Every structure is written in structure tokens, then in C-alpha cells.
């Protein structure tokens, strides 16, 4: 079999699998709704140059373990004016999934922060965390 035909066959199977698993949504009788889980992050990028008048944000990235995961939200809780905990969450569908690693990158808005050095703690679902510092002028 030629490489081109092999590639087309593999692409067709992947597309069919994705559309099949997508068709097994909540419309199917007895299907469980997606559940929300805290996900792990690989890294966090903290841009520089924020001031107290602008909304602060960070860029998070990681890898979903399969096609049943999709980004939901990031919860930001502040413990005082300079300590913030961020939990990234995903919705996990129940049922058949394409079994490939899926990278993701998302912007997480922190809002307007006071001038100073802010400690950011990104908590993962397994109890580990990443700590970063955000300086606001």
C-alpha cells in the first residue's frame, strides 16, 4: 500500500472514530452527563508588564489524556491580596473516546491586581502544584 493511501486510510478511521464518539452525546438514552475534574498542567507562562489598572492573565498548558476531555474553566481563589490559587478544570465525557494525547493552551484571567508581587499556586488534580510569581507595577 502506498504511503498516501495508508495516510488517507488512517485519517478516515480517525475522523470516523471522532464523529462516532461525538454522536454518542447526551441524546443517547442512559448517557451520563460529563463530569468536571481538576486537571494537571505542564507549564505556566507569566507575562511581564502588568500594572494595577490592567487585567492580569497567565497562559497555562498541558495535555489531555484522551479525546473525552475538553477545557471547562479555571477557578481563581484569593487568600489575601497577594496569594492566589488557580485550579484548571476540564469536562470529561463518558463513553467511547479517541485515545490520543491532546495538547491544550488556555489564557487564564486573574483580573485587576494590586501593585506588588503576587504568589500564584496552580493546583493539579493529583495534589501537586506549580508556583509562579506575577509582578504588578
Amino acid at each position: 500500500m502506498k504511503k498516501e493511501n495508508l495516510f488517507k486510510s488512517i485519517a478516515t478511521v480517525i475522523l470516523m472514530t471522532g464523529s462516532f464518539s461525538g454522536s454518542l452525546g447526551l441524546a443517547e438514552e442512559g448517557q451520563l452527563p460529563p463530569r468536571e475534574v481538576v486537571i494537571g498542567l505542564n507549564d505556566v507562562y507569566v507575562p511581564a508588564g502588568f500594572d494595577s489598572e490592567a487585567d492580569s492573565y497567565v497562559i497555562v498548558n498541558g495535555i489531555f489524556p484522551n479525546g473525552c476531555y475538553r477545557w471547562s474553566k479555571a477557578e481563581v481563589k484569593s487568600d489575601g491580596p497577594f496569594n492566589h490559587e488557580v485550579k484548571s478544570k476540564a469536562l470529561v465525557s463518558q463513553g467511547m473516546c479517541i485515545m490520543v494525547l491532546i495538547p491544550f493552551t488556555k489564557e487564564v484571567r486573574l483580573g485587576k491586581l494590586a501593585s506588588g508581587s503576587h504568589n500564584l499556586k496552580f493546583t493539579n488534580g493529583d495534589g501537586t502544584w506549580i508556583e509562579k510569581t506575577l509582578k504588578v507595577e
Side-chain angles (χ1 to χ4, degrees):
M1 183 180 275
K2 290 184 176 181
K3 283 186 179 181
E4 297 160 347
N5 290 338
L6 178 62
F7 178 76
K8 286 180 184 177
S9 297
I10 292 171
T12 302
V13 169
I14 290 172
L15 288 173
M16 288 176 59
T17 304
S19 63
F20 178 71
S21 65
S23 68
L24 293 174
L26 294 175
E28 186 176 322
E29 190 98 11
Q31 181 73 18
L32 296 173
R35 61 186 168 89
E36 193 169 60
V37 297
V38 177
I39 54 173
L41 301 174
N42 289 349
D43 197 14
V44 178
Y45 171 69
V46 180
F50 293 115
D51 62 31
S52 60
E53 299 298 316
D55 281 346
S56 301
Y57 65 90
V58 295
I59 308 293
V60 300
N61 68 62
I63 298 176
F64 293 136
N66 60 53
C68 282
Y69 284 73
R70 71 178 188 272
W71 178 263
S72 175
K73 63 185 174 188
E75 288 182 353
V76 181
K77 292 184 181 175
S78 296
D79 181 26
F82 296 101
N83 294 312
H84 314 280
E85 182 178 359
V86 181
K87 289 185 181 179
S88 298
K89 296 191 172 187
L91 292 174
V92 183
S93 302
Q94 307 296 311
M96 293 182 58
C97 307
I98 187 164
M99 298 306 289
V100 295
L101 298 176
I102 301 174
F104 68 89
T105 301
K106 293 292 178 184
E107 180 179 293
V108 175
R109 294 257 170 212
L110 303 172
K112 291 184 181 179
L113 300 175
S115 296
S117 182
H118 293 262
N119 298 314
L120 307 175
K121 182 178 180 180
F122 298 86
T123 306
N124 294 324
D126 61 1
T128 61
W129 65 86
I130 299 172
E131 286 186 317
K132 296 285 185 171
T133 301
L134 171 68
K135 301 218 185 276
V136 178
E137 297 176 17

PDB file of all heavy atoms in Angstrom, residues 11-50:
ATOM      1  N   ALA A  11      -6.392   8.567   8.361  1.00  0.00           N
ATOM      2  CA  ALA A  11      -7.150   9.801   8.587  1.00  0.00           C
ATOM      3  C   ALA A  11      -8.643   9.526   8.578  1.00  0.00           C
ATOM      4  O   ALA A  11      -9.400  10.055   9.402  1.00  0.00           O
ATOM      5  CB  ALA A  11      -6.791  10.841   7.529  1.00  0.00           C
ATOM      6  N   THR A  12      -9.097   8.667   7.675  1.00  0.00           N
ATOM      7  CA  THR A  12     -10.513   8.322   7.605  1.00  0.00           C
ATOM      8  C   THR A  12     -10.969   7.631   8.879  1.00  0.00           C
ATOM      9  O   THR A  12     -12.023   7.946   9.439  1.00  0.00           O
ATOM     10  CB  THR A  12     -10.792   7.414   6.386  1.00  0.00           C
ATOM     11  OG1 THR A  12     -10.367   8.098   5.206  1.00  0.00           O
ATOM     12  CG2 THR A  12     -12.265   7.066   6.287  1.00  0.00           C
ATOM     13  N   VAL A  13     -10.164   6.695   9.385  1.00  0.00           N
ATOM     14  CA  VAL A  13     -10.513   5.985  10.619  1.00  0.00           C
ATOM     15  C   VAL A  13     -10.584   6.955  11.788  1.00  0.00           C
ATOM     16  O   VAL A  13     -11.509   6.904  12.602  1.00  0.00           O
ATOM     17  CB  VAL A  13      -9.508   4.843  10.910  1.00  0.00           C
ATOM     18  CG1 VAL A  13      -9.700   4.289  12.299  1.00  0.00           C
ATOM     19  CG2 VAL A  13      -9.653   3.747   9.868  1.00  0.00           C
ATOM     20  N   ILE A  14      -9.630   7.868  11.867  1.00  0.00           N
ATOM     21  CA  ILE A  14      -9.622   8.849  12.960  1.00  0.00           C
ATOM     22  C   ILE A  14     -10.847   9.743  12.885  1.00  0.00           C
ATOM     23  O   ILE A  14     -11.516   9.982  13.891  1.00  0.00           O
ATOM     24  CB  ILE A  14      -8.320   9.683  12.937  1.00  0.00           C
ATOM     25  CG1 ILE A  14      -7.139   8.802  13.345  1.00  0.00           C
ATOM     26  CG2 ILE A  14      -8.435  10.913  13.845  1.00  0.00           C
ATOM     27  CD1 ILE A  14      -5.799   9.453  13.180  1.00  0.00           C
ATOM     28  N   LEU A  15     -11.185  10.228  11.686  1.00  0.00           N
ATOM     29  CA  LEU A  15     -12.351  11.087  11.537  1.00  0.00           C
ATOM     30  C   LEU A  15     -13.634  10.336  11.862  1.00  0.00           C
ATOM     31  O   LEU A  15     -14.526  10.866  12.516  1.00  0.00           O
ATOM     32  CB  LEU A  15     -12.418  11.649  10.115  1.00  0.00           C
ATOM     33  CG  LEU A  15     -11.380  12.719   9.798  1.00  0.00           C
ATOM     34  CD1 LEU A  15     -11.427  13.086   8.320  1.00  0.00           C
ATOM     35  CD2 LEU A  15     -11.587  13.943  10.644  1.00  0.00           C
ATOM     36  N   MET A  16     -13.734   9.087  11.410  1.00  0.00           N
ATOM     37  CA  MET A  16     -14.927   8.298  11.698  1.00  0.00           C
ATOM     38  C   MET A  16     -15.051   8.029  13.193  1.00  0.00           C
ATOM     39  O   MET A  16     -16.131   8.110  13.760  1.00  0.00           O
ATOM     40  CB  MET A  16     -14.905   6.986  10.914  1.00  0.00           C
ATOM     41  CG  MET A  16     -15.148   7.189   9.433  1.00  0.00           C
ATOM     42  SD  MET A  16     -15.009   5.692   8.483  1.00  0.00           S
ATOM     43  CE  MET A  16     -16.233   4.658   9.232  1.00  0.00           C
ATOM     44  N   THR A  17     -13.927   7.733  13.848  1.00  0.00           N
ATOM     45  CA  THR A  17     -13.947   7.480  15.280  1.00  0.00           C
ATOM     46  C   THR A  17     -14.381   8.730  16.027  1.00  0.00           C
ATOM     47  O   THR A  17     -15.190   8.670  16.942  1.00  0.00           O
ATOM     48  CB  THR A  17     -12.556   7.032  15.776  1.00  0.00           C
ATOM     49  OG1 THR A  17     -12.152   5.895  15.027  1.00  0.00           O
ATOM     50  CG2 THR A  17     -12.581   6.709  17.242  1.00  0.00           C
ATOM     51  N   GLY A  18     -13.851   9.884  15.621  1.00  0.00           N
ATOM     52  CA  GLY A  18     -14.218  11.146  16.267  1.00  0.00           C
ATOM     53  C   GLY A  18     -15.679  11.468  16.079  1.00  0.00           C
ATOM     54  O   GLY A  18     -16.372  11.867  17.010  1.00  0.00           O
ATOM     55  N   SER A  19     -16.206  11.275  14.863  1.00  0.00           N
ATOM     56  CA  SER A  19     -17.615  11.580  14.638  1.00  0.00           C
ATOM     57  C   SER A  19     -18.508  10.558  15.331  1.00  0.00           C
ATOM     58  O   SER A  19     -19.578  10.879  15.806  1.00  0.00           O
ATOM     59  CB  SER A  19     -17.923  11.642  13.140  1.00  0.00           C
ATOM     60  OG  SER A  19     -17.707  10.389  12.535  1.00  0.00           O
ATOM     61  N   PHE A  20     -18.057   9.302  15.422  1.00  0.00           N
ATOM     62  CA  PHE A  20     -18.841   8.278  16.114  1.00  0.00           C
ATOM     63  C   PHE A  20     -18.907   8.574  17.598  1.00  0.00           C
ATOM     64  O   PHE A  20     -19.966   8.540  18.201  1.00  0.00           O
ATOM     65  CB  PHE A  20     -18.228   6.892  15.865  1.00  0.00           C
ATOM     66  CG  PHE A  20     -18.952   5.789  16.577  1.00  0.00           C
ATOM     67  CD1 PHE A  20     -20.211   5.376  16.167  1.00  0.00           C
ATOM     68  CD2 PHE A  20     -18.385   5.173  17.683  1.00  0.00           C
ATOM     69  CE1 PHE A  20     -20.879   4.372  16.830  1.00  0.00           C
ATOM     70  CE2 PHE A  20     -19.051   4.171  18.353  1.00  0.00           C
ATOM     71  CZ  PHE A  20     -20.301   3.765  17.924  1.00  0.00           C
ATOM     72  N   SER A  21     -17.748   8.899  18.205  1.00  0.00           N
ATOM     73  CA  SER A  21     -17.769   9.189  19.639  1.00  0.00           C
ATOM     74  C   SER A  21     -18.528  10.478  19.915  1.00  0.00           C
ATOM     75  O   SER A  21     -19.160  10.616  20.942  1.00  0.00           O
ATOM     76  CB  SER A  21     -16.349   9.267  20.210  1.00  0.00           C
ATOM     77  OG  SER A  21     -15.658  10.354  19.651  1.00  0.00           O
ATOM     78  N   GLY A  22     -18.482  11.427  18.970  1.00  0.00           N
ATOM     79  CA  GLY A  22     -19.242  12.659  19.141  1.00  0.00           C
ATOM     80  C   GLY A  22     -20.730  12.422  19.035  1.00  0.00           C
ATOM     81  O   GLY A  22     -21.533  13.120  19.633  1.00  0.00           O
ATOM     82  N   SER A  23     -21.135  11.405  18.259  1.00  0.00           N
ATOM     83  CA  SER A  23     -22.552  11.121  18.105  1.00  0.00           C
ATOM     84  C   SER A  23     -23.120  10.396  19.319  1.00  0.00           C
ATOM     85  O   SER A  23     -24.312  10.221  19.441  1.00  0.00           O
ATOM     86  CB  SER A  23     -22.790  10.286  16.843  1.00  0.00           C
ATOM     87  OG  SER A  23     -22.240   8.993  17.008  1.00  0.00           O
ATOM     88  N   LEU A  24     -22.265   9.960  20.228  1.00  0.00           N
ATOM     89  CA  LEU A  24     -22.731   9.290  21.438  1.00  0.00           C
ATOM     90  C   LEU A  24     -22.934  10.290  22.566  1.00  0.00           C
ATOM     91  O   LEU A  24     -22.601  10.041  23.703  1.00  0.00           O
ATOM     92  CB  LEU A  24     -21.723   8.225  21.883  1.00  0.00           C
ATOM     93  CG  LEU A  24     -21.565   7.033  20.964  1.00  0.00           C
ATOM     94  CD1 LEU A  24     -20.441   6.150  21.462  1.00  0.00           C
ATOM     95  CD2 LEU A  24     -22.847   6.256  20.870  1.00  0.00           C
ATOM     96  N   GLY A  25     -23.490  11.453  22.240  1.00  0.00           N
ATOM     97  CA  GLY A  25     -23.672  12.510  23.217  1.00  0.00           C
ATOM     98  C   GLY A  25     -24.802  12.227  24.172  1.00  0.00           C
ATOM     99  O   GLY A  25     -25.271  11.106  24.313  1.00  0.00           O
ATOM    100  N   LEU A  26     -25.277  13.276  24.812  1.00  0.00           N
ATOM    101  CA  LEU A  26     -26.308  13.129  25.823  1.00  0.00           C
ATOM    102  C   LEU A  26     -27.657  12.720  25.245  1.00  0.00           C
ATOM    103  O   LEU A  26     -28.541  12.333  25.986  1.00  0.00           O
ATOM    104  CB  LEU A  26     -26.464  14.443  26.597  1.00  0.00           C
ATOM    105  CG  LEU A  26     -25.263  14.834  27.436  1.00  0.00           C
ATOM    106  CD1 LEU A  26     -25.497  16.194  28.058  1.00  0.00           C
ATOM    107  CD2 LEU A  26     -24.993  13.801  28.494  1.00  0.00           C
ATOM    108  N   ALA A  27     -27.813  12.803  23.919  1.00  0.00           N
ATOM    109  CA  ALA A  27     -29.085  12.435  23.316  1.00  0.00           C
ATOM    110  C   ALA A  27     -29.357  10.938  23.478  1.00  0.00           C
ATOM    111  O   ALA A  27     -30.496  10.505  23.487  1.00  0.00           O
ATOM    112  CB  ALA A  27     -29.090  12.807  21.841  1.00  0.00           C
ATOM    113  N   GLU A  28     -28.280  10.164  23.610  1.00  0.00           N
ATOM    114  CA  GLU A  28     -28.466   8.721  23.764  1.00  0.00           C
ATOM    115  C   GLU A  28     -29.053   8.432  25.141  1.00  0.00           C
ATOM    116  O   GLU A  28     -28.635   8.982  26.154  1.00  0.00           O
ATOM    117  CB  GLU A  28     -27.113   8.016  23.604  1.00  0.00           C
ATOM    118  CG  GLU A  28     -27.229   6.512  23.615  1.00  0.00           C
ATOM    119  CD  GLU A  28     -25.890   5.865  23.361  1.00  0.00           C
ATOM    120  OE1 GLU A  28     -25.125   6.386  22.550  1.00  0.00           O
ATOM    121  OE2 GLU A  28     -25.628   4.834  23.995  1.00  0.00           O
ATOM    122  N   GLU A  29     -30.033   7.549  25.166  1.00  0.00           N
ATOM    123  CA  GLU A  29     -30.718   7.190  26.405  1.00  0.00           C
ATOM    124  C   GLU A  29     -29.732   6.593  27.411  1.00  0.00           C
ATOM    125  O   GLU A  29     -28.940   5.736  27.077  1.00  0.00           O
ATOM    126  CB  GLU A  29     -31.820   6.173  26.106  1.00  0.00           C
ATOM    127  CG  GLU A  29     -32.731   5.902  27.255  1.00  0.00           C
ATOM    128  CD  GLU A  29     -34.008   6.701  27.167  1.00  0.00           C
ATOM    129  OE1 GLU A  29     -34.273   7.303  26.131  1.00  0.00           O
ATOM    130  OE2 GLU A  29     -34.711   6.723  28.164  1.00  0.00           O
ATOM    131  N   GLY A  30     -29.767   7.059  28.638  1.00  0.00           N
ATOM    132  CA  GLY A  30     -28.935   6.498  29.685  1.00  0.00           C
ATOM    133  C   GLY A  30     -27.516   7.044  29.718  1.00  0.00           C
ATOM    134  O   GLY A  30     -26.719   6.626  30.547  1.00  0.00           O
ATOM    135  N   GLN A  31     -27.179   7.959  28.841  1.00  0.00           N
ATOM    136  CA  GLN A  31     -25.821   8.514  28.806  1.00  0.00           C
ATOM    137  C   GLN A  31     -25.613   9.428  30.016  1.00  0.00           C
ATOM    138  O   GLN A  31     -26.465  10.248  30.331  1.00  0.00           O
ATOM    139  CB  GLN A  31     -25.608   9.298  27.507  1.00  0.00           C
ATOM    140  CG  GLN A  31     -24.230   9.881  27.364  1.00  0.00           C
ATOM    141  CD  GLN A  31     -23.164   8.853  27.072  1.00  0.00           C
ATOM    142  OE1 GLN A  31     -23.459   7.746  26.652  1.00  0.00           O
ATOM    143  NE2 GLN A  31     -21.934   9.215  27.291  1.00  0.00           N
ATOM    144  N   LEU A  32     -24.493   9.265  30.681  1.00  0.00           N
ATOM    145  CA  LEU A  32     -24.178  10.100  31.834  1.00  0.00           C
ATOM    146  C   LEU A  32     -23.699  11.474  31.363  1.00  0.00           C
ATOM    147  O   LEU A  32     -23.018  11.581  30.346  1.00  0.00           O
ATOM    148  CB  LEU A  32     -23.073   9.445  32.658  1.00  0.00           C
ATOM    149  CG  LEU A  32     -23.425   8.106  33.303  1.00  0.00           C
ATOM    150  CD1 LEU A  32     -22.188   7.494  33.937  1.00  0.00           C
ATOM    151  CD2 LEU A  32     -24.520   8.285  34.339  1.00  0.00           C
ATOM    152  N   PRO A  33     -24.025  12.525  32.101  1.00  0.00           N
ATOM    153  CA  PRO A  33     -23.529  13.853  31.736  1.00  0.00           C
ATOM    154  C   PRO A  33     -22.022  13.921  31.996  1.00  0.00           C
ATOM    155  O   PRO A  33     -21.488  13.164  32.806  1.00  0.00           O
ATOM    156  CB  PRO A  33     -24.292  14.790  32.672  1.00  0.00           C
ATOM    157  CG  PRO A  33     -24.672  13.945  33.832  1.00  0.00           C
ATOM    158  CD  PRO A  33     -24.870  12.556  33.296  1.00  0.00           C
ATOM    159  N   PRO A  34     -21.334  14.842  31.314  1.00  0.00           N
ATOM    160  CA  PRO A  34     -19.894  14.983  31.568  1.00  0.00           C
ATOM    161  C   PRO A  34     -19.653  15.378  33.027  1.00  0.00           C
ATOM    162  O   PRO A  34     -20.456  16.073  33.630  1.00  0.00           O
ATOM    163  CB  PRO A  34     -19.453  16.101  30.636  1.00  0.00           C
ATOM    164  CG  PRO A  34     -20.596  16.382  29.735  1.00  0.00           C
ATOM    165  CD  PRO A  34     -21.813  15.780  30.323  1.00  0.00           C
ATOM    166  N   ARG A  35     -18.528  14.924  33.569  1.00  0.00           N
ATOM    167  CA  ARG A  35     -18.185  15.317  34.939  1.00  0.00           C
ATOM    168  C   ARG A  35     -16.988  16.254  34.882  1.00  0.00           C
ATOM    169  O   ARG A  35     -16.159  16.171  33.983  1.00  0.00           O
ATOM    170  CB  ARG A  35     -17.904  14.110  35.813  1.00  0.00           C
ATOM    171  CG  ARG A  35     -16.763  13.250  35.371  1.00  0.00           C
ATOM    172  CD  ARG A  35     -16.663  11.981  36.227  1.00  0.00           C
ATOM    173  NE  ARG A  35     -15.758  11.050  35.605  1.00  0.00           N
ATOM    174  CZ  ARG A  35     -14.452  11.010  35.826  1.00  0.00           C
ATOM    175  NH1 ARG A  35     -13.902  11.852  36.671  1.00  0.00           N
ATOM    176  NH2 ARG A  35     -13.696  10.133  35.211  1.00  0.00           N
ATOM    177  N   GLU A  36     -16.931  17.158  35.841  1.00  0.00           N
ATOM    178  CA  GLU A  36     -15.848  18.140  35.870  1.00  0.00           C
ATOM    179  C   GLU A  36     -14.742  17.638  36.792  1.00  0.00           C
ATOM    180  O   GLU A  36     -15.013  17.199  37.905  1.00  0.00           O
ATOM    181  CB  GLU A  36     -16.384  19.487  36.346  1.00  0.00           C
ATOM    182  CG  GLU A  36     -15.439  20.629  36.120  1.00  0.00           C
ATOM    183  CD  GLU A  36     -16.105  21.964  36.363  1.00  0.00           C
ATOM    184  OE1 GLU A  36     -16.572  22.197  37.493  1.00  0.00           O
ATOM    185  OE2 GLU A  36     -16.155  22.758  35.427  1.00  0.00           O
ATOM    186  N   VAL A  37     -13.500  17.687  36.306  1.00  0.00           N
ATOM    187  CA  VAL A  37     -12.352  17.236  37.086  1.00  0.00           C
ATOM    188  C   VAL A  37     -11.255  18.298  37.049  1.00  0.00           C
ATOM    189  O   VAL A  37     -11.166  19.080  36.109  1.00  0.00           O
ATOM    190  CB  VAL A  37     -11.786  15.892  36.551  1.00  0.00           C
ATOM    191  CG1 VAL A  37     -12.803  14.781  36.683  1.00  0.00           C
ATOM    192  CG2 VAL A  37     -11.315  16.027  35.119  1.00  0.00           C
ATOM    193  N   VAL A  38     -10.449  18.325  38.103  1.00  0.00           N
ATOM    194  CA  VAL A  38      -9.272  19.189  38.134  1.00  0.00           C
ATOM    195  C   VAL A  38      -8.183  18.502  37.314  1.00  0.00           C
ATOM    196  O   VAL A  38      -7.936  17.310  37.478  1.00  0.00           O
ATOM    197  CB  VAL A  38      -8.792  19.436  39.581  1.00  0.00           C
ATOM    198  CG1 VAL A  38      -7.526  20.272  39.605  1.00  0.00           C
ATOM    199  CG2 VAL A  38      -9.888  20.102  40.388  1.00  0.00           C
ATOM    200  N   ILE A  39      -7.563  19.241  36.414  1.00  0.00           N
ATOM    201  CA  ILE A  39      -6.555  18.664  35.527  1.00  0.00           C
ATOM    202  C   ILE A  39      -5.167  19.173  35.871  1.00  0.00           C
ATOM    203  O   ILE A  39      -5.014  20.214  36.506  1.00  0.00           O
ATOM    204  CB  ILE A  39      -6.868  18.981  34.046  1.00  0.00           C
ATOM    205  CG1 ILE A  39      -7.041  20.487  33.838  1.00  0.00           C
ATOM    206  CG2 ILE A  39      -8.088  18.212  33.582  1.00  0.00           C
ATOM    207  CD1 ILE A  39      -7.183  20.913  32.413  1.00  0.00           C
ATOM    208  N   GLY A  40      -4.170  18.436  35.443  1.00  0.00           N
ATOM    209  CA  GLY A  40      -2.785  18.824  35.653  1.00  0.00           C
ATOM    210  C   GLY A  40      -2.291  19.736  34.544  1.00  0.00           C
ATOM    211  O   GLY A  40      -2.756  19.675  33.415  1.00  0.00           O
ATOM    212  N   LEU A  41      -1.340  20.576  34.892  1.00  0.00           N
ATOM    213  CA  LEU A  41      -0.720  21.471  33.932  1.00  0.00           C
ATOM    214  C   LEU A  41       0.732  21.068  33.748  1.00  0.00           C
ATOM    215  O   LEU A  41       1.375  20.583  34.671  1.00  0.00           O
ATOM    216  CB  LEU A  41      -0.786  22.916  34.424  1.00  0.00           C
ATOM    217  CG  LEU A  41      -2.175  23.485  34.679  1.00  0.00           C
ATOM    218  CD1 LEU A  41      -2.076  24.872  35.293  1.00  0.00           C
ATOM    219  CD2 LEU A  41      -2.983  23.519  33.391  1.00  0.00           C
ATOM    220  N   ASN A  42       1.250  21.294  32.547  1.00  0.00           N
ATOM    221  CA  ASN A  42       2.672  21.057  32.291  1.00  0.00           C
ATOM    222  C   ASN A  42       3.499  22.291  32.615  1.00  0.00           C
ATOM    223  O   ASN A  42       4.602  22.185  33.120  1.00  0.00           O
ATOM    224  CB  ASN A  42       2.911  20.654  30.844  1.00  0.00           C
ATOM    225  CG  ASN A  42       2.410  19.268  30.549  1.00  0.00           C
ATOM    226  OD1 ASN A  42       2.056  18.523  31.450  1.00  0.00           O
ATOM    227  ND2 ASN A  42       2.374  18.928  29.276  1.00  0.00           N
ATOM    228  N   ASP A  43       2.963  23.465  32.281  1.00  0.00           N
ATOM    229  CA  ASP A  43       3.718  24.695  32.490  1.00  0.00           C
ATOM    230  C   ASP A  43       2.761  25.880  32.538  1.00  0.00           C
ATOM    231  O   ASP A  43       1.626  25.798  32.076  1.00  0.00           O
ATOM    232  CB  ASP A  43       4.736  24.894  31.370  1.00  0.00           C
ATOM    233  CG  ASP A  43       5.828  25.902  31.734  1.00  0.00           C
ATOM    234  OD1 ASP A  43       5.958  26.252  32.928  1.00  0.00           O
ATOM    235  OD2 ASP A  43       6.545  26.352  30.826  1.00  0.00           O
ATOM    236  N   VAL A  44       3.257  26.990  33.077  1.00  0.00           N
ATOM    237  CA  VAL A  44       2.514  28.238  33.146  1.00  0.00           C
ATOM    238  C   VAL A  44       3.444  29.352  32.704  1.00  0.00           C
ATOM    239  O   VAL A  44       4.569  29.462  33.202  1.00  0.00           O
ATOM    240  CB  VAL A  44       2.010  28.524  34.584  1.00  0.00           C
ATOM    241  CG1 VAL A  44       1.285  29.853  34.642  1.00  0.00           C
ATOM    242  CG2 VAL A  44       1.118  27.391  35.074  1.00  0.00           C
ATOM    243  N   TYR A  45       2.984  30.168  31.756  1.00  0.00           N
ATOM    244  CA  TYR A  45       3.747  31.328  31.305  1.00  0.00           C
ATOM    245  C   TYR A  45       3.143  32.564  31.938  1.00  0.00           C
ATOM    246  O   TYR A  45       1.939  32.798  31.841  1.00  0.00           O
ATOM    247  CB  TYR A  45       3.714  31.441  29.779  1.00  0.00           C
ATOM    248  CG  TYR A  45       4.296  32.730  29.260  1.00  0.00           C
ATOM    249  CD1 TYR A  45       5.659  32.996  29.365  1.00  0.00           C
ATOM    250  CD2 TYR A  45       3.484  33.701  28.695  1.00  0.00           C
ATOM    251  CE1 TYR A  45       6.196  34.184  28.912  1.00  0.00           C
ATOM    252  CE2 TYR A  45       4.006  34.893  28.230  1.00  0.00           C
ATOM    253  CZ  TYR A  45       5.358  35.127  28.341  1.00  0.00           C
ATOM    254  OH  TYR A  45       5.888  36.304  27.889  1.00  0.00           O
ATOM    255  N   VAL A  46       3.988  33.355  32.603  1.00  0.00           N
ATOM    256  CA  VAL A  46       3.541  34.582  33.262  1.00  0.00           C
ATOM    257  C   VAL A  46       4.146  35.767  32.508  1.00  0.00           C
ATOM    258  O   VAL A  46       5.345  36.021  32.608  1.00  0.00           O
ATOM    259  CB  VAL A  46       3.982  34.610  34.746  1.00  0.00           C
ATOM    260  CG1 VAL A  46       3.502  35.896  35.412  1.00  0.00           C
ATOM    261  CG2 VAL A  46       3.458  33.391  35.484  1.00  0.00           C
ATOM    262  N   PRO A  47       3.336  36.496  31.743  1.00  0.00           N
ATOM    263  CA  PRO A  47       3.853  37.674  31.036  1.00  0.00           C
ATOM    264  C   PRO A  47       4.269  38.767  32.023  1.00  0.00           C
ATOM    265  O   PRO A  47       3.830  38.774  33.170  1.00  0.00           O
ATOM    266  CB  PRO A  47       2.677  38.144  30.185  1.00  0.00           C
ATOM    267  CG  PRO A  47       1.686  37.032  30.196  1.00  0.00           C
ATOM    268  CD  PRO A  47       1.935  36.247  31.446  1.00  0.00           C
ATOM    269  N   ALA A  48       5.061  39.685  31.544  1.00  0.00           N
ATOM    270  CA  ALA A  48       5.501  40.815  32.375  1.00  0.00           C
ATOM    271  C   ALA A  48       4.815  42.093  31.893  1.00  0.00           C
ATOM    272  O   ALA A  48       4.199  42.121  30.832  1.00  0.00           O
ATOM    273  CB  ALA A  48       7.015  40.968  32.274  1.00  0.00           C
ATOM    274  N   GLY A  49       4.925  43.137  32.696  1.00  0.00           N
ATOM    275  CA  GLY A  49       4.452  44.455  32.283  1.00  0.00           C
ATOM    276  C   GLY A  49       3.040  44.811  32.705  1.00  0.00           C
ATOM    277  O   GLY A  49       2.462  45.752  32.168  1.00  0.00           O
ATOM    278  N   PHE A  50       2.460  44.087  33.648  1.00  0.00           N
ATOM    279  CA  PHE A  50       1.112  44.438  34.105  1.00  0.00           C
ATOM    280  C   PHE A  50       1.191  45.587  35.104  1.00  0.00           C
ATOM    281  O   PHE A  50       2.129  45.698  35.879  1.00  0.00           O
ATOM    282  CB  PHE A  50       0.431  43.239  34.782  1.00  0.00           C
ATOM    283  CG  PHE A  50       0.139  42.113  33.846  1.00  0.00           C
ATOM    284  CD1 PHE A  50       0.778  40.897  33.997  1.00  0.00           C
ATOM    285  CD2 PHE A  50      -0.774  42.252  32.817  1.00  0.00           C
ATOM    286  CE1 PHE A  50       0.516  39.849  33.142  1.00  0.00           C
ATOM    287  CE2 PHE A  50      -1.047  41.215  31.955  1.00  0.00           C
ATOM    288  CZ  PHE A  50      -0.401  40.008  32.114  1.00  0.00           C
TER     289      PHE A  50
END
